[in-house]
Amino acid sequence: MRITELLTRNTIVLNLKANSKESAIDELVNKLDEAGKLADKAEYKKAILAREAQSTTGIGEGIAIPHAKTAAVKAPAIAFGRSSEGIDYDSLDGQPSRLFFMIAATEGANNTHLETLSKLSSLLMDPEFRRKLDLAASEDEIIEAINAQEAASNVQEAQEAAMPSGSSTGRVLAVTACPTGIAHTYMAADALKAKAKDMGVDIKVETNGSSGVKNELTASEIESAAAIIVAADKKVEMERFKGKHVIEVAVAQAIRKPQELIDKALKQDAKIYQGGGGSDEESGQREKGQRTGFYKHLMNGVSNMLPFVVGGGILIAISFFWGIHSAEQNDPTFNAFAKALKDIGGGNAFMLMIPVLAGFIAMSIADRPGFAPGMVGGLIAVNGNAGFLGGLIAGFLAGYVAQGVKKGFRRLPQSIEGIKPVLLYPLFGILITGLIMMFVVNPPVAFIMNSLTDWLKGLGTGNLLLLGLLLGGMMAVDMGGPINKAAYTFGIAMIGASNYAPITAIMAGGMVPPIGMALATTFFKRKFTKQEREAGKTAYVLGASFITEGAIPFAAADPGRVIPASVIGAAIAGALSMAFHISLPAPHGGVFVFWLLKWNALLYILAILIGAAVTALIVGFWKKDVKA
């Protein structure tokens, strides 16, 4: 399939009227929609902006390639736009963009379409081709220039394929990959190949694109390579590079600085990759611009935990429709289906949430040997009432314990190599992690929880405003952990004494973190990834249902900003609840039990919204924009 079967006269804008990045996107989206290529214009634009949030598609040299692969696309297409003055598009080189190619790929795009879309990215690496596009006077000249460039490229590829490969001695290998796998993957590959040709260097580049792995590196090639360049913004298979010099960078680095990377590879200016998930301490050298270390491991845990939070939380919220106590068999409102929903969501999905978080953090650090110790450590944290903070500790602890175990068994005879991953690694990893969690981590956490509960009981209700401030803030400190539970336990005890004000402040404080983060993702979209913005929609429901755990994915990803902001907002909500003298005899339920409120429901809602707004504003102004 030719590129001009996807880019046609009715998807070309020779003179863009736009003067900003967003208006340029709007103009090109409208062009595709007018041409009948989109099924849902609004959803397609969302997908384009979500891709921009991951990393700018302004690749430099006056080019921008906004792209998305989504069900909102009716038929694969390319829109071309040109700006004579240039538009500030947050390009990698800081220069205005003049040439715009907006790629629209369907969710189930076949390999032929994907390869054609990707081919365009490769052609744009030629400066002479870009000059022709700049000078073209009509839509037909644009199409003719693309057809001519594509034909020349096909001839060159055929000639290269017919030529015998050079000597593999000192050969440089590379892997390129980006999240979408349509544009940057192939542009990085072509930039490396073009520069290597200029330098007289033998190179082979494997691409991990939407249509799969192409030009895959073989074991013999890896064995004889001088070094491997991994230019990727998503996970690629790394264990095959164990023992080799590996340079790891963001995919944009290969587009912008191919010569620098090739020089480093030739000089073997990189650490030797030791395997085991590529931790910073042992992996190949990583360049600025790639998320690494603590953040990378943390995000691996959070992204895998998120489905448990979302699925389980919504099931619990739905169970409240039959009544706040409808899952309790001895209650008059008991409903078997409501109990099933709550058991599935709370008793099972939520129970797995922290172990999954810990397991995948550990796996990110130590690869598969870290997974079992991480899961077990997370479960011990749950059973020890250590909450998600305990899970974080367990994840990192298990990961580095597993790394230590692997190092400790390196010198064992080769004959028992096969039993290491199935016996030695899990046995000692689980044992050491479990003992540390049970005897070092959990006891002080339990002590803190009990101390907090006793202190709150001693404080009583003498100073309502201070009590509301403390109880509300405590609900947000660890979001379901021991401090949260200490506050909640105190509130339950006060209900037994017919004092309903504390539990009311507690519920307000517990609702603020997820609602606050949901508001932040709505009004400060540039601060969050696409996945976080999607989680924000669910957080509205979880927050309204008094499920504080709905904010855990955000807190786990950015604890230094999210937790303080949540604590401040929750404390304000709790204090206002007390100041308004509002009471609620129900221990749980969120908006589903507001009809039981005594005094003024509107004031209570106002208290929660004020607290959530404060949290959202703090996070919105404190967090930095999401970048690659």
Side-chain angles (χ1 to χ4, degrees):
M1 174 178 280
R2 292 183 302 159
I3 293 172
T4 50
E5 291 180 50
L6 301 176
L7 192 156
T8 55
R9 296 182 82 261
N10 64 345
T11 59
I12 295 176
V13 184
L14 284 178
N15 297 295
L16 286 170
K17 298 175 183 177
N19 56 12
S20 67
K21 179 175 181 175
E22 185 157 1
S23 59
I25 289 173
D26 282 335
E27 198 167 342
L28 292 171
V29 168
N30 288 335
K31 193 66 175 176
L32 287 170
D33 190 50
E34 290 168 5
K37 304 299 183 182
L38 304 180
D40 188 327
K41 182 173 77 170
E43 284 302 312
Y44 175 70
K45 181 183 175 182
K46 284 183 182 178
I48 287 287
L49 295 177
R51 175 61 186 89
E52 293 296 325
Q54 291 178 325
S55 63
T56 181
T57 58
I59 61 170
E61 306 294 344
I63 304 168
I65 311 181
H67 56 274
K69 181 180 175 185
T70 168
V73 174
K74 186 187 301 183
I78 303 170
F80 170 75
R82 187 175 64 188
S83 170
S84 57
E85 296 181 0
I87 296 170
D88 183 2
Y89 202 86
D90 300 329
S91 296
L92 295 173
D93 60 2
Q95 300 300 312
S97 296
R98 302 182 315 279
L99 304 177
F100 298 83
F101 287 88
M102 178 172 280
I103 297 174
T106 56
E107 189 70 57
N110 59 42
N111 286 355
T112 302
H113 285 142
L114 291 172
E115 288 170 4
T116 304
L117 293 168
S118 304
K119 184 69 175 290
L120 172 65
S121 306
S122 301
L123 300 184
L124 288 169
M125 299 308 295
D126 185 341
E128 180 60 24
F129 175 51
R130 299 197 299 266
R131 191 182 71 83
K132 289 179 181 178
L133 295 177
D134 267 328
L135 297 176
S138 66
E139 289 89 348
D140 288 336
E141 286 188 25
I142 294 288
I143 291 173
E144 287 173 9
I146 292 173
N147 283 335
Q149 186 72 13
E150 186 173 13
S153 175
N154 290 339
V155 170
Q156 183 179 350
E157 285 181 3
Q159 291 173 343
E160 291 176 353
M163 293 174 61
S165 62
S167 170
S168 62
T169 305
R171 193 181 199 190
V172 174
L173 302 180
V175 178
T176 62
C178 69
T180 308
I182 294 175
H184 288 59
T185 299
Y186 301 96
M187 299 186 78
D190 283 335
L192 288 167
K193 288 189 287 186
K195 185 54 65 176
K197 184 177 180 180
D198 291 344
M199 298 169 66
V201 175
D202 188 11
I203 192 169
K204 179 179 178 180
V205 185
E206 171 186 300
T207 56
N208 287 235
S210 288
S211 56
V213 175
K214 296 294 177 63
N215 210 27
E216 187 171 4
L217 306 179
T218 66
S220 61
E221 289 169 338
I222 294 170
E223 179 64 29
S224 59
I228 295 98
I229 300 167
V230 178
D233 289 341
K234 70 176 185 178
K235 189 173 182 180
V236 298
E237 176 56 46
M238 293 293 295
E239 284 302 300
R240 53 188 167 156
F241 303 140
K242 186 174 181 180
K244 303 298 296 184
H245 292 277
V246 177
I247 303 168
E248 291 186 73
V249 297
V251 69
Q253 293 289 88
I255 299 174
R256 299 298 305 146
K257 301 178 180 179
Q259 182 169 344
E260 180 182 314
L261 296 177
I262 294 170
D263 281 337
K264 284 189 174 184
L266 292 173
K267 296 174 184 175
Q268 296 187 324
D269 184 12
K271 293 180 181 178
I272 293 177
Y273 184 77
Q274 301 291 343
S279 67
D280 279 339
E281 293 76 11
E282 295 191 333
S283 70
Q285 182 173 309
R286 299 176 188 263
E287 301 289 337
K288 184 178 179 181
Q290 186 181 27
R291 288 171 174 172
T292 59
F294 177 85
Y295 185 81
K296 174 194 169 187
H297 306 320
L298 190 60
M299 286 308 298
N300 194 55
V302 171
S303 61
N304 284 285
M305 174 188 72
L306 192 58
F308 295 85
V309 178
V310 173
I314 291 178
L315 288 175
I316 294 172
I318 294 173
S319 74
F320 292 142
F321 280 117
W322 287 272
I324 190 63
H325 298 296
S326 60
E328 299 173 15
Q329 290 185 336
N330 296 326
D331 192 86
T333 63
F334 173 73
N335 181 285
F337 187 62
K339 183 179 187 304
L341 291 177
K342 193 168 184 180
D343 287 347
I344 294 169
N348 293 279
F350 266 31
M351 185 200 72
L352 286 171
M353 181 173 64
I354 302 304
V356 166
L357 171 70
F360 280 95
I361 288 174
M363 188 174 180
S364 178
I365 295 169
D367 206 16
R368 291 185 181 180
F371 185 66
M375 286 286 290
V376 173
L379 187 59
I380 292 173
V382 171
N383 292 333
N385 204 26
F388 96 90
L389 291 178
L392 289 175
I393 295 171
F396 284 97
L397 171 65
Y400 291 114
V401 163
Q403 287 280 52
V405 169
K406 287 162 66 178
K407 287 182 180 179
F409 289 129
R410 274 182 185 171
R411 291 182 173 83
L412 290 180
Q414 187 69 24
S415 59
I416 63 169
E417 189 71 23
I419 70 169
K420 287 182 182 179
V422 296
L423 175 62
L424 299 180
Y425 293 163
L427 172 61
F428 287 93
I430 291 172
L431 174 64
I432 296 170
T433 301
L435 289 174
I436 294 174
M437 285 299 298
M438 291 183 71
F439 296 105
V440 178
V441 177
N442 280 354
V445 168
F447 173 78
I448 291 171
M449 185 184 72
N450 292 332
S451 299
L452 283 171
T453 303
D454 293 340
W455 178 68
L456 284 173
K457 288 179 179 179
L459 184 63
T461 58
N463 189 326
L464 294 179
L465 197 64
L466 175 61
L467 185 63
L469 196 76
L470 289 171
L471 292 173
M474 289 173 67
M475 291 299 292
V477 171
D478 54 358
M479 303 175 191
I483 298 175
N484 172 287
K485 289 295 190 293
Y488 188 71
T489 301
F490 173 75
I492 296 296
M494 291 297 98
I495 288 179
S498 299
N499 182 354
Y500 304 119
I503 194 65
T504 310
I506 287 165
M507 191 179 296
M511 293 171 72
V512 161
I515 295 176
M517 292 311 302
L519 289 172
T521 61
T522 299
F523 293 104
F524 300 95
K525 293 181 179 179
R526 291 175 63 90
K527 312 285 184 174
F528 299 92
T529 64
K530 178 183 178 182
Q531 185 181 47
E532 288 171 331
R533 292 196 298 274
E534 290 301 315
K537 297 173 185 177
T538 305
Y540 278 116
V541 179
L542 300 181
S545 306
F546 183 38
I547 299 174
T548 315
E549 288 87 345
I552 285 180
F554 305 100
D558 192 1
R561 294 182 179 91
V562 173
I563 292 178
S566 297
V567 170
I568 293 170
I572 290 172
L576 289 174
S577 174
M578 284 290 198
F580 294 152
H581 299 287
I582 300 170
S583 62
L584 178 67
H588 210 297
V591 296
F592 301 104
V593 296
F594 276 12
W595 60 278
L596 295 171
L597 282 166
K598 296 181 180 179
W599 184 229
N600 192 317
L602 290 178
L603 284 178
Y604 189 55
I605 294 171
L606 180 64
I608 294 168
L609 290 178
I610 289 173
V614 169
T615 293
L617 288 171
I618 293 173
V619 170
F621 288 115
W622 197 359
K623 277 180 73 71
K624 296 179 181 178
D625 288 355
V626 171
K627 294 186 178 180

